[in-house]
Amino acid sequence: MNIWDEVIQEFVKEQNKLKDTLGSGGAEDFPHYRQVVGSIQGIEWCRQNLKSIVKKRTLEEDDE
C-alpha cells in the first residue's frame, strides 16, 4: 500500500465515523447536523480530487 492509499483510507474512516454519528442521532441540533454533513461533503471532495490528481500524475509519469 502506498502513501496515497493510506490517505484515502483515512478519509474513508473519518467519513464513516461522521456518518455513524449522524446515524445514531449524535447531532445535537440542526446547525451541528449541517456541520457534520458539510464535513462529510468536504472530505469526499478532497478524496475525489486527490484520487484524480494522483491518477493524472501517475499517467504522466508512465508517458515519460
Side-chain angles (χ1 to χ4, degrees), residues 9-10 20 23 26 30 38-39 46 51 55-56 62:
Q9 189 176 48
E10 288 301 313
D20 288 345
F30 188 66
S39 295
C46 291
K51 283 175 66 174
K55 184 176 182 179
K56 182 180 174 183
D62 289 346

Side-chain angles (χ1 to χ4, degrees), residues 37-62:
V37 169
S39 295
I40 293 168
Q41 289 174 325
I43 293 169
E44 182 62 22
W45 181 88
C46 291
R47 190 174 71 85
Q48 291 297 327
N49 282 303
L50 178 62
K51 283 175 66 174
S52 176
I53 291 167
V54 169
K55 184 176 182 179
K56 182 180 174 183
R57 292 291 177 112
T58 302
L59 290 175
E60 286 175 0
E61 289 174 4
D62 289 346

Side-chain angles (χ1 to χ4, degrees), residues 4-32:
W4 303 117
D5 293 332
E6 290 180 47
V7 171
I8 295 296
Q9 189 176 48
E10 288 301 313
F11 283 158
V12 170
K13 278 187 205 176
E14 185 61 25
Q15 278 184 310
N16 288 336
K17 281 195 272 184
L18 293 169
K19 288 175 184 178
D20 288 345
T21 297
L22 291 180
S24 66
E28 300 162 7
D29 52 19
F30 188 66
H32 185 227

